[in-house]
């Protein structure tokens, strides 16, 4: 698959990422979910992490004082030792996480190392699908990967440096991040119109 094929279905022209309106619709849709599902889907929304990376988050990975979450970068798991990255979180979301999970960090070492979300990968995908359906998002972009790609696209549109986007998304090679510069449609037009 070409790099362009990561963001756009080259046969149909369909986007594989959410645009700004769809991201907002997803965020609105998750407000109606059960608390744990809502917090899980919010983690995907705010960080652009992989579905399985979010499932690995423990209370000890939340750094409330610094406003960060630590992910083990799973695409780089073959490397020893494991590769970790820190990603910023909004204060309101951190407050919700703290309310739900901070007590677990105070119940001993073992409790702080247990996953925040005890559901399976399959259930996590189901929650994302439910939120996408509620938001009216369909097609190839209505996935956790589409949400992840949307984070990269929105960061690129907002002129965040490529090395920062790579760090946030956990890319080992900046070449993987450069796909977000191949934006098509209205997003590309918007970028170009800024210099007209």
């Amino acid at each position: 698959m070409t790099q362009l094929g990561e963001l756009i279905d080259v046969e149909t022209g369909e986007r594989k990422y959410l645009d700004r309106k769809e991201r907002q619709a997803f965020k609105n849709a998750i407000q109606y979910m059960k608390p744990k599902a809502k917090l899980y889907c919010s983690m995907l929304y705010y960080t652009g992490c992989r579905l399985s990376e979010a499932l690995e988050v423990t209370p000890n990975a939340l750094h409330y004082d610094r406003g960060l979450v630590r992910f083990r970068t799973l695409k780089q798991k073959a490397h020893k030792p494991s590769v970790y990255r820190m990603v910023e979180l909004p204060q309101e979301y951190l407050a919700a996480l703290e309310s739900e999970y901070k007590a677990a960090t105070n119940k001993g070492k073992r409790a702080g190392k247990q996953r925040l979300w005890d559901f399976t990968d399959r259930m996590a995908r189901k929650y994302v699908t439910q939120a996408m359906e509620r938001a009216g998002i369909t097609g190839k972009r209505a996935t956790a990967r589409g949400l992840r790609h949307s984070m990269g696209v929105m960061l690129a549109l907002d002129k965040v440096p490529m090395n920062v986007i790579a760090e946030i998304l956990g890319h080992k090679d900046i070449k993987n991040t450069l796909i977000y510069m191949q934006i098509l449609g209205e997003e590309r037009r918007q970028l170009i119109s800024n210099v007209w």
Side-chain angles (χ1 to χ4, degrees), residues 108-165:
K109 289 182 179 180
R110 186 158 193 252
K113 293 180 180 179
Q114 291 179 344
R115 296 176 3 176
L116 295 184
W117 300 290
D118 57 0
F119 39 81
T120 64
D121 185 82
R122 184 176 180 179
M123 184 56 71
R125 288 181 197 286
K126 183 176 179 181
Y127 288 141
V128 171
T129 299
Q130 288 172 350
M132 293 289 182
E133 288 173 355
R134 181 177 212 109
I137 302 166
T138 60
K140 295 185 178 190
R141 62 187 168 271
T143 64
R145 187 178 184 96
L147 193 59
R148 176 174 166 75
H149 280 322
S150 76
M151 181 68 147
V153 168
M154 295 306 120
L155 291 170
L157 285 173
D158 289 340
K159 300 180 181 120
V160 174
M162 283 293 114
N163 64 315
V164 175
I165 298 173

CSV table of all heavy atoms in Angstrom, one decimal, residues 108-165:
chain,number,residue,atom,x,y,z
A,108,GLY,N,-1.8,0.4,46.9
A,108,GLY,CA,-0.7,-0.5,46.8
A,108,GLY,C,-0.1,-0.7,45.4
A,108,GLY,O,-0.7,-0.2,44.5
A,109,LYS,N,1.1,-1.2,45.3
A,109,LYS,CA,1.8,-1.3,44.1
A,109,LYS,C,1.0,-2.1,43.0
A,109,LYS,O,0.9,-1.8,41.9
A,109,LYS,CB,3.1,-2.0,44.3
A,109,LYS,CG,4.1,-1.1,45.0
A,109,LYS,CD,5.5,-1.8,45.1
A,109,LYS,CE,6.4,-0.9,45.8
A,109,LYS,NZ,7.8,-1.6,45.9
A,110,ARG,N,0.4,-3.2,43.4
A,110,ARG,CA,-0.3,-4.1,42.5
A,110,ARG,C,-1.5,-3.4,41.8
A,110,ARG,O,-1.7,-3.4,40.6
A,110,ARG,CB,-0.8,-5.4,43.1
A,110,ARG,CG,-1.4,-6.3,42.1
A,110,ARG,CD,-1.3,-7.7,42.7
A,110,ARG,NE,-1.6,-8.6,41.6
A,110,ARG,CZ,-2.7,-9.3,41.5
A,110,ARG,NH1,-3.7,-9.2,42.4
A,110,ARG,NH2,-2.9,-10.1,40.4
A,111,ALA,N,-2.3,-2.6,42.7
A,111,ALA,CA,-3.5,-1.9,42.1
A,111,ALA,C,-3.1,-0.9,41.1
A,111,ALA,O,-3.8,-0.7,40.1
A,111,ALA,CB,-4.3,-1.3,43.3
A,112,GLY,N,-2.0,-0.2,41.4
A,112,GLY,CA,-1.5,0.8,40.5
A,112,GLY,C,-1.0,0.3,39.1
A,112,GLY,O,-0.9,1.1,38.2
A,113,LYS,N,-0.8,-1.0,39.1
A,113,LYS,CA,-0.3,-1.6,37.8
A,113,LYS,C,-1.4,-2.3,37.0
A,113,LYS,O,-1.1,-2.8,36.0
A,113,LYS,CB,0.9,-2.6,38.1
A,113,LYS,CG,2.1,-1.9,38.6
A,113,LYS,CD,3.2,-2.8,38.9
A,113,LYS,CE,4.4,-2.1,39.5
A,113,LYS,NZ,5.5,-3.0,39.8
A,114,GLN,N,-2.6,-2.4,37.6
A,114,GLN,CA,-3.7,-3.0,36.9
A,114,GLN,C,-4.2,-2.1,35.8
A,114,GLN,O,-4.3,-0.9,36.0
A,114,GLN,CB,-4.8,-3.4,37.8
A,114,GLN,CG,-4.3,-4.6,38.7
A,114,GLN,CD,-5.4,-5.0,39.7
A,114,GLN,OE1,-6.4,-4.2,40.0
A,114,GLN,NE2,-5.3,-6.1,40.3
A,115,ARG,N,-4.7,-2.6,34.7
A,115,ARG,CA,-5.2,-1.8,33.6
A,115,ARG,C,-6.4,-1.0,34.1
A,115,ARG,O,-7.2,-1.5,34.8
A,115,ARG,CB,-5.6,-2.7,32.4
A,115,ARG,CG,-4.4,-3.4,31.8
A,115,ARG,CD,-4.8,-4.3,30.7
A,115,ARG,NE,-6.2,-4.3,30.3
A,115,ARG,CZ,-6.7,-5.0,29.4
A,115,ARG,NH1,-5.9,-5.8,28.6
A,115,ARG,NH2,-8.0,-5.0,29.1
A,116,LEU,N,-6.5,0.2,33.5
A,116,LEU,CA,-7.7,1.0,33.8
A,116,LEU,C,-9.0,0.4,33.3
A,116,LEU,O,-10.0,0.4,33.9
A,116,LEU,CB,-7.6,2.4,33.2
A,116,LEU,CG,-6.5,3.3,33.7
A,116,LEU,CD1,-6.6,4.7,33.0
A,116,LEU,CD2,-6.5,3.5,35.2
A,117,TRP,N,-8.9,-0.2,32.1
A,117,TRP,CA,-10.0,-0.7,31.4
A,117,TRP,C,-9.9,-2.2,31.3
A,117,TRP,O,-9.0,-2.7,30.6
A,117,TRP,CB,-10.2,-0.1,30.1
A,117,TRP,CG,-10.4,1.4,30.2
A,117,TRP,CD1,-11.5,2.0,30.8
A,117,TRP,CD2,-9.5,2.5,29.9
A,117,TRP,NE1,-11.4,3.4,30.8
A,117,TRP,CE2,-10.1,3.7,30.3
A,117,TRP,CE3,-8.2,2.5,29.4
A,117,TRP,CZ2,-9.5,4.9,30.1
A,117,TRP,CZ3,-7.6,3.7,29.2
A,117,TRP,CH2,-8.3,4.9,29.6
A,118,ASP,N,-10.8,-3.0,31.9
A,118,ASP,CA,-10.6,-4.4,32.0
A,118,ASP,C,-11.3,-5.1,30.9
A,118,ASP,O,-11.4,-6.3,30.8
A,118,ASP,CB,-11.1,-4.9,33.3
A,118,ASP,CG,-12.6,-4.5,33.6
A,118,ASP,OD1,-13.2,-3.9,32.8
A,118,ASP,OD2,-13.1,-4.9,34.7
A,119,PHE,N,-11.8,-4.3,29.9
A,119,PHE,CA,-12.5,-5.0,28.8
A,119,PHE,C,-11.5,-5.4,27.7
A,119,PHE,O,-10.4,-5.0,27.7
A,119,PHE,CB,-13.6,-4.2,28.2
A,119,PHE,CG,-13.4,-2.7,28.0
A,119,PHE,CD1,-12.6,-2.2,27.0
A,119,PHE,CD2,-13.9,-1.8,29.0
A,119,PHE,CE1,-12.4,-0.8,26.9
A,119,PHE,CE2,-13.7,-0.5,28.9
A,119,PHE,CZ,-12.9,0.0,27.8
A,120,THR,N,-12.0,-6.3,26.8
A,120,THR,CA,-11.1,-6.9,25.8
A,120,THR,C,-10.9,-5.9,24.6
A,120,THR,O,-11.7,-4.9,24.5
A,120,THR,CB,-11.7,-8.2,25.2
A,120,THR,OG1,-13.0,-7.8,24.6
A,120,THR,CG2,-12.0,-9.2,26.3
A,121,ASP,N,-10.0,-6.3,23.7
A,121,ASP,CA,-9.8,-5.5,22.5
A,121,ASP,C,-11.1,-5.5,21.7
A,121,ASP,O,-11.4,-4.5,21.1
A,121,ASP,CB,-8.6,-6.2,21.7
A,121,ASP,CG,-8.2,-5.5,20.5
A,121,ASP,OD1,-7.4,-4.5,20.6
A,121,ASP,OD2,-8.7,-5.9,19.4
A,122,ARG,N,-11.7,-6.6,21.6
A,122,ARG,CA,-13.0,-6.7,20.9
A,122,ARG,C,-14.0,-5.7,21.4
A,122,ARG,O,-14.7,-5.1,20.7
A,122,ARG,CB,-13.5,-8.1,20.9
A,122,ARG,CG,-14.7,-8.4,20.1
A,122,ARG,CD,-15.1,-9.8,20.1
A,122,ARG,NE,-16.3,-10.0,19.3
A,122,ARG,CZ,-16.8,-11.2,19.1
A,122,ARG,NH1,-16.3,-12.3,19.6
A,122,ARG,NH2,-17.9,-11.3,18.3
A,123,MET,N,-14.2,-5.7,22.7
A,123,MET,CA,-15.1,-4.8,23.4
A,123,MET,C,-14.7,-3.3,23.1
A,123,MET,O,-15.6,-2.5,22.9
A,123,MET,CB,-15.3,-5.1,24.9
A,123,MET,CG,-16.4,-4.3,25.5
A,123,MET,SD,-18.0,-4.4,24.8
A,123,MET,CE,-18.5,-6.1,25.3
A,124,ALA,N,-13.4,-3.1,23.2
A,124,ALA,CA,-13.0,-1.7,22.9
A,124,ALA,C,-13.4,-1.2,21.5
A,124,ALA,O,-13.8,-0.1,21.3
A,124,ALA,CB,-11.4,-1.6,23.1
A,125,ARG,N,-13.2,-2.1,20.5
A,125,ARG,CA,-13.6,-1.8,19.2
A,125,ARG,C,-15.1,-1.6,19.1
A,125,ARG,O,-15.6,-0.7,18.3
A,125,ARG,CB,-13.2,-2.9,18.2
A,125,ARG,CG,-11.7,-3.0,18.0
A,125,ARG,CD,-11.3,-4.1,17.0
A,125,ARG,NE,-9.9,-4.4,17.1
A,125,ARG,CZ,-8.9,-3.6,16.7
A,125,ARG,NH1,-9.2,-2.5,16.0
A,125,ARG,NH2,-7.6,-3.9,16.8
A,126,LYS,N,-15.8,-2.4,19.8
A,126,LYS,CA,-17.3,-2.2,19.8
A,126,LYS,C,-17.7,-0.9,20.4
A,126,LYS,O,-18.6,-0.2,19.8
A,126,LYS,CB,-17.9,-3.3,20.7
A,126,LYS,CG,-19.4,-3.3,20.7
A,126,LYS,CD,-20.0,-4.5,21.4
A,126,LYS,CE,-21.5,-4.5,21.4
A,126,LYS,NZ,-22.1,-5.6,22.2
A,127,TYR,N,-17.0,-0.4,21.4
A,127,TYR,CA,-17.3,0.9,22.0
A,127,TYR,C,-17.1,2.0,20.9
A,127,TYR,O,-17.8,3.0,20.8
A,127,TYR,CB,-16.5,1.2,23.2
A,127,TYR,CG,-17.0,0.4,24.4
A,127,TYR,CD1,-16.1,-0.1,25.3
A,127,TYR,CD2,-18.4,0.2,24.7
A,127,TYR,CE1,-16.5,-0.9,26.4
A,127,TYR,CE2,-18.8,-0.5,25.8
A,127,TYR,CZ,-17.9,-1.1,26.7
A,127,TYR,OH,-18.3,-1.8,27.8
A,128,VAL,N,-15.9,1.9,20.2
A,128,VAL,CA,-15.6,2.9,19.2
A,128,VAL,C,-16.6,2.9,18.1
A,128,VAL,O,-17.1,3.9,17.7
A,128,VAL,CB,-14.2,2.7,18.6
A,128,VAL,CG1,-13.9,3.5,17.4
A,128,VAL,CG2,-13.1,2.9,19.7
A,129,THR,N,-17.0,1.7,17.7
A,129,THR,CA,-18.1,1.5,16.6
A,129,THR,C,-19.4,2.2,17.1
A,129,THR,O,-20.0,2.9,16.3
A,129,THR,CB,-18.3,0.0,16.3
A,129,THR,OG1,-17.0,-0.5,15.8
A,129,THR,CG2,-19.3,-0.1,15.2
A,130,GLN,N,-19.8,1.9,18.3
A,130,GLN,CA,-21.0,2.5,18.8
A,130,GLN,C,-21.0,4.0,18.8
A,130,GLN,O,-21.9,4.7,18.4
A,130,GLN,CB,-21.3,2.0,20.3
A,130,GLN,CG,-21.7,0.6,20.4
A,130,GLN,CD,-21.8,0.1,21.8
A,130,GLN,OE1,-21.3,0.7,22.7
A,130,GLN,NE2,-22.3,-1.1,22.0
A,131,ALA,N,-19.8,4.6,19.2
A,131,ALA,CA,-19.7,6.0,19.2
A,131,ALA,C,-19.7,6.6,17.8
A,131,ALA,O,-20.4,7.6,17.5
A,131,ALA,CB,-18.4,6.4,19.9
A,132,MET,N,-19.1,5.9,16.9
A,132,MET,CA,-19.1,6.3,15.5
A,132,MET,C,-20.5,6.3,14.9
A,132,MET,O,-20.9,7.3,14.2
A,132,MET,CB,-18.2,5.5,14.6
A,132,MET,CG,-16.7,5.6,14.9
A,132,MET,SD,-16.0,7.1,14.4
A,132,MET,CE,-14.3,6.9,14.9
A,133,GLU,N,-21.2,5.3,15.2
A,133,GLU,CA,-22.6,5.2,14.7
A,133,GLU,C,-23.5,6.3,15.3
A,133,GLU,O,-24.2,6.9,14.6
A,133,GLU,CB,-23.2,3.8,15.1
A,133,GLU,CG,-22.6,2.7,14.3
A,133,GLU,CD,-23.1,1.3,14.7
A,133,GLU,OE1,-23.8,1.1,15.7
A,133,GLU,OE2,-22.7,0.3,14.0
A,134,ARG,N,-23.3,6.5,16.6
A,134,ARG,CA,-24.1,7.6,17.2
A,134,ARG,C,-23.8,8.9,16.6
A,134,ARG,O,-24.6,9.8,16.5
A,134,ARG,CB,-23.9,7.6,18.7
A,134,ARG,CG,-24.6,8.7,19.5
A,134,ARG,CD,-24.4,8.6,21.0
A,134,ARG,NE,-25.7,9.0,21.6
A,134,ARG,CZ,-26.5,8.3,22.2
A,134,ARG,NH1,-26.3,7.0,22.4
A,134,ARG,NH2,-27.6,8.7,22.7
A,135,ALA,N,-22.5,9.1,16.2
A,135,ALA,CA,-22.0,10.4,15.6
A,135,ALA,C,-22.4,10.5,14.2
A,135,ALA,O,-22.2,11.5,13.6
A,135,ALA,CB,-20.5,10.5,15.8
A,136,GLY,N,-22.9,9.4,13.6
A,136,GLY,CA,-23.3,9.4,12.2
A,136,GLY,C,-22.1,9.3,11.2
A,136,GLY,O,-22.1,9.7,10.1
A,137,ILE,N,-21.0,8.7,11.7
A,137,ILE,CA,-19.8,8.6,10.9
A,137,ILE,C,-19.8,7.1,10.4
A,137,ILE,O,-19.9,6.2,11.2
A,137,ILE,CB,-18.5,8.8,11.8
A,137,ILE,CG1,-18.6,10.2,12.4
A,137,ILE,CG2,-17.3,8.6,11.0
A,137,ILE,CD1,-17.6,10.5,13.5
A,138,THR,N,-19.6,7.0,9.1
A,138,THR,CA,-19.6,5.7,8.4
A,138,THR,C,-18.4,5.5,7.6
A,138,THR,O,-17.6,6.4,7.3
A,138,THR,CB,-20.9,5.6,7.6
A,138,THR,OG1,-20.9,6.6,6.6
A,138,THR,CG2,-22.2,5.7,8.4
A,139,GLY,N,-18.3,4.3,7.0
A,139,GLY,CA,-17.2,4.1,6.1
A,139,GLY,C,-15.9,3.7,6.7
A,139,GLY,O,-15.9,3.3,7.9
A,140,LYS,N,-14.9,3.8,5.9
A,140,LYS,CA,-13.5,3.3,6.4
A,140,LYS,C,-13.0,4.2,7.5
A,140,LYS,O,-12.0,3.8,8.2
A,140,LYS,CB,-12.6,3.3,5.2
A,140,LYS,CG,-13.0,2.3,4.2
A,140,LYS,CD,-12.0,2.1,3.0
A,140,LYS,CE,-12.5,1.0,2.1
A,140,LYS,NZ,-11.6,0.6,1.1
A,141,ARG,N,-13.5,5.4,7.7
A,141,ARG,CA,-12.9,6.3,8.7
A,141,ARG,C,-13.6,6.0,10.1
A,141,ARG,O,-13.1,6.5,11.1
A,141,ARG,CB,-13.1,7.7,8.3
A,141,ARG,CG,-14.5,8.2,8.1
A,141,ARG,CD,-14.5,9.6,7.6
A,141,ARG,NE,-15.8,10.0,7.1
A,141,ARG,CZ,-16.2,9.8,5.9
A,141,ARG,NH1,-15.5,9.2,5.0
A,141,ARG,NH2,-17.4,10.3,5.5
A,142,ALA,N,-14.6,5.2,10.1
A,142,ALA,CA,-15.4,5.0,11.3
A,142,ALA,C,-14.7,3.9,12.2
A,142,ALA,O,-15.4,2.9,12.6
A,142,ALA,CB,-16.8,4.7,11.0
A,143,THR,N,-13.4,4.1,12.5
A,143,THR,CA,-12.7,3.1,13.3
A,143,THR,C,-11.7,3.8,14.2
A,143,THR,O,-11.5,5.1,14.1
A,143,THR,CB,-11.8,2.2,12.3
A,143,THR,OG1,-10.8,3.1,11.7
A,143,THR,CG2,-12.6,1.5,11.3
A,144,ALA,N,-11.1,3.1,15.1
A,144,ALA,CA,-10.1,3.7,16.0
A,144,ALA,C,-8.9,4.2,15.2
A,144,ALA,O,-8.4,5.2,15.5
A,144,ALA,CB,-9.7,2.6,17.0
A,145,ARG,N,-8.6,3.5,14.1
A,145,ARG,CA,-7.5,3.9,13.3
A,145,ARG,C,-7.9,5.2,12.6
A,145,ARG,O,-7.0,6.1,12.4
A,145,ARG,CB,-7.2,2.8,12.2
A,145,ARG,CG,-6.0,3.1,11.4
A,145,ARG,CD,-5.7,1.9,10.5
A,145,ARG,NE,-4.5,2.1,9.7
A,145,ARG,CZ,-3.3,1.6,10.0
A,145,ARG,NH1,-3.2,0.9,11.1
A,145,ARG,NH2,-2.2,1.9,9.3
A,146,GLY,N,-9.1,5.4,12.2
A,146,GLY,CA,-9.6,6.6,11.6
A,146,GLY,C,-9.5,7.8,12.5
A,146,GLY,O,-9.1,8.9,12.2
A,147,LEU,N,-9.7,7.5,13.8
A,147,LEU,CA,-9.6,8.5,14.9
A,147,LEU,C,-8.1,8.9,15.1
A,147,LEU,O,-7.8,10.0,15.2
A,147,LEU,CB,-10.2,8.0,16.1
A,147,LEU,CG,-10.5,9.0,17.3
A,147,LEU,CD1,-11.4,10.1,16.8
A,147,LEU,CD2,-11.1,8.2,18.5
A,148,ARG,N,-7.3,7.8,15.1
A,148,ARG,CA,-5.8,8.1,15.2
A,148,ARG,C,-5.3,8.9,14.0
A,148,ARG,O,-4.6,9.9,14.2
A,148,ARG,CB,-5.1,6.7,15.3
A,148,ARG,CG,-3.6,6.8,15.3
A,148,ARG,CD,-3.0,5.4,15.5
A,148,ARG,NE,-1.6,5.4,15.3
A,148,ARG,CZ,-0.7,5.9,16.1
A,148,ARG,NH1,-1.0,6.5,17.2
A,148,ARG,NH2,0.6,5.8,15.8
A,149,HIS,N,-5.7,8.5,12.8
A,149,HIS,CA,-5.2,9.3,11.7
A,149,HIS,C,-5.7,10.7,11.7
A,149,HIS,O,-5.0,11.7,11.3
A,149,HIS,CB,-5.7,8.7,10.4
A,149,HIS,CG,-4.9,7.5,9.9
A,149,HIS,ND1,-3.5,7.4,10.0
A,149,HIS,CD2,-5.3,6.3,9.3
A,149,HIS,CE1,-3.1,6.3,9.5
A,149,HIS,NE2,-4.1,5.6,9.1
A,150,SER,N,-7.0,10.9,12.2
A,150,SER,CA,-7.5,12.3,12.3
A,150,SER,C,-6.6,13.1,13.2
A,150,SER,O,-6.5,14.3,13.0
A,150,SER,CB,-8.9,12.3,12.8
A,150,SER,OG,-9.1,12.0,14.2
A,151,MET,N,-6.1,12.6,14.3
A,151,MET,CA,-5.2,13.3,15.2
A,151,MET,C,-4.0,13.8,14.4
A,151,MET,O,-3.6,15.0,14.5
A,151,MET,CB,-4.8,12.4,16.4
A,151,MET,CG,-3.9,13.1,17.4
A,151,MET,SD,-4.9,14.4,18.2
A,151,MET,CE,-4.1,14.4,19.8
A,152,GLY,N,-3.4,12.9,13.7
A,152,GLY,CA,-2.2,13.3,12.9
A,152,GLY,C,-2.5,14.4,11.9
A,152,GLY,O,-1.8,15.3,11.7
A,153,VAL,N,-3.7,14.2,11.2
A,153,VAL,CA,-4.1,15.2,10.2
A,153,VAL,C,-4.3,16.6,10.8
A,153,VAL,O,-3.9,17.6,10.3
A,153,VAL,CB,-5.3,14.7,9.4
A,153,VAL,CG1,-5.9,15.9,8.6
A,153,VAL,CG2,-5.0,13.5,8.5
A,154,MET,N,-5.1,16.6,11.9
A,154,MET,CA,-5.4,17.9,12.6
A,154,MET,C,-4.2,18.5,13.1
A,154,MET,O,-4.0,19.8,13.0
A,154,MET,CB,-6.4,17.6,13.7
A,154,MET,CG,-7.8,17.2,13.3
A,154,MET,SD,-8.6,18.2,12.0
A,154,MET,CE,-8.7,17.0,10.7
A,155,LEU,N,-3.2,17.8,13.7
A,155,LEU,CA,-2.0,18.4,14.1
A,155,LEU,C,-1.2,18.9,13.0
A,155,LEU,O,-0.6,20.0,13.1
A,155,LEU,CB,-1.1,17.3,14.9
A,155,LEU,CG,-1.7,16.8,16.2
A,155,LEU,CD1,-0.9,15.6,16.7
A,155,LEU,CD2,-1.6,18.0,17.3
A,156,ALA,N,-1.2,18.2,11.8
A,156,ALA,CA,-0.5,18.7,10.7
A,156,ALA,C,-1.1,20.0,10.2
A,156,ALA,O,-0.4,21.0,9.8
A,156,ALA,CB,-0.4,17.7,9.6
A,157,LEU,N,-2.5,20.0,10.1
A,157,LEU,CA,-3.2,21.2,9.7
A,157,LEU,C,-2.9,22.4,10.6
A,157,LEU,O,-2.9,23.6,10.1
A,157,LEU,CB,-4.7,21.0,9.6
A,157,LEU,CG,-5.2,20.1,8.5
A,157,LEU,CD1,-6.7,19.8,8.6
A,157,LEU,CD2,-5.0,20.8,7.2
A,158,ASP,N,-2.7,22.2,11.9
A,158,ASP,CA,-2.5,23.2,12.8
A,158,ASP,C,-1.0,23.6,12.9
A,158,ASP,O,-0.5,24.2,13.8
A,158,ASP,CB,-3.0,22.9,14.2
A,158,ASP,CG,-4.5,22.9,14.2
A,158,ASP,OD1,-5.1,23.6,13.4
A,158,ASP,OD2,-5.1,22.3,15.1
A,159,LYS,N,-0.2,23.0,11.9
A,159,LYS,CA,1.2,23.3,11.7
A,159,LYS,C,2.1,22.9,12.9
A,159,LYS,O,3.1,23.5,13.2
A,159,LYS,CB,1.4,24.8,11.4
A,159,LYS,CG,0.6,25.2,10.2
A,159,LYS,CD,0.8,26.7,9.9
A,159,LYS,CE,0.0,27.1,8.7
A,159,LYS,NZ,-1.0,28.0,8.8
A,160,VAL,N,1.7,21.8,13.6
A,160,VAL,CA,2.6,21.3,14.6
A,160,VAL,C,3.7,20.6,13.9
A,160,VAL,O,3.6,19.9,12.9
A,160,VAL,CB,1.8,20.2,15.5
A,160,VAL,CG1,2.7,19.5,16.4
A,160,VAL,CG2,0.6,20.9,16.2
A,161,PRO,N,5.0,20.9,14.4
A,161,PRO,CA,6.1,20.3,13.7
A,161,PRO,C,6.1,18.8,13.6
A,161,PRO,O,5.5,18.1,14.5
A,161,PRO,CB,7.3,20.7,14.6
A,161,PRO,CG,6.8,21.9,15.3
A,161,PRO,CD,5.3,21.7,15.5
A,162,MET,N,6.6,18.2,12.5
A,162,MET,CA,6.5,16.8,12.3
A,162,MET,C,7.1,16.0,13.4
A,162,MET,O,6.6,14.9,13.7
A,162,MET,CB,7.2,16.5,10.9
A,162,MET,CG,6.4,16.8,9.7
A,162,MET,SD,4.9,15.7,9.6
A,162,MET,CE,3.6,16.9,9.8
A,163,ASN,N,8.3,16.4,14.0
A,163,ASN,CA,8.9,15.7,15.0
A,163,ASN,C,8.0,15.6,16.3
A,163,ASN,O,8.0,14.5,17.0
A,163,ASN,CB,10.3,16.2,15.4
A,163,ASN,CG,10.2,17.6,16.0
A,163,ASN,OD1,9.5,18.5,15.5
A,163,ASN,ND2,10.9,17.8,17.0
A,164,VAL,N,7.2,16.6,16.5
A,164,VAL,CA,6.3,16.6,17.7
A,164,VAL,C,5.1,15.6,17.4
A,164,VAL,O,4.7,14.8,18.2
A,164,VAL,CB,5.8,18.0,18.0
A,164,VAL,CG1,4.7,17.9,19.1
A,164,VAL,CG2,6.9,18.9,18.4
A,165,ILE,N,4.6,15.6,16.1
A,165,ILE,CA,3.5,14.7,15.8
A,165,ILE,C,4.0,13.3,15.9
A,165,ILE,O,3.3,12.4,16.4
A,165,ILE,CB,3.0,15.0,14.3
A,165,ILE,CG1,2.4,16.4,14.3
A,165,ILE,CG2,2.0,13.9,13.9
A,165,ILE,CD1,2.0,16.8,12.9
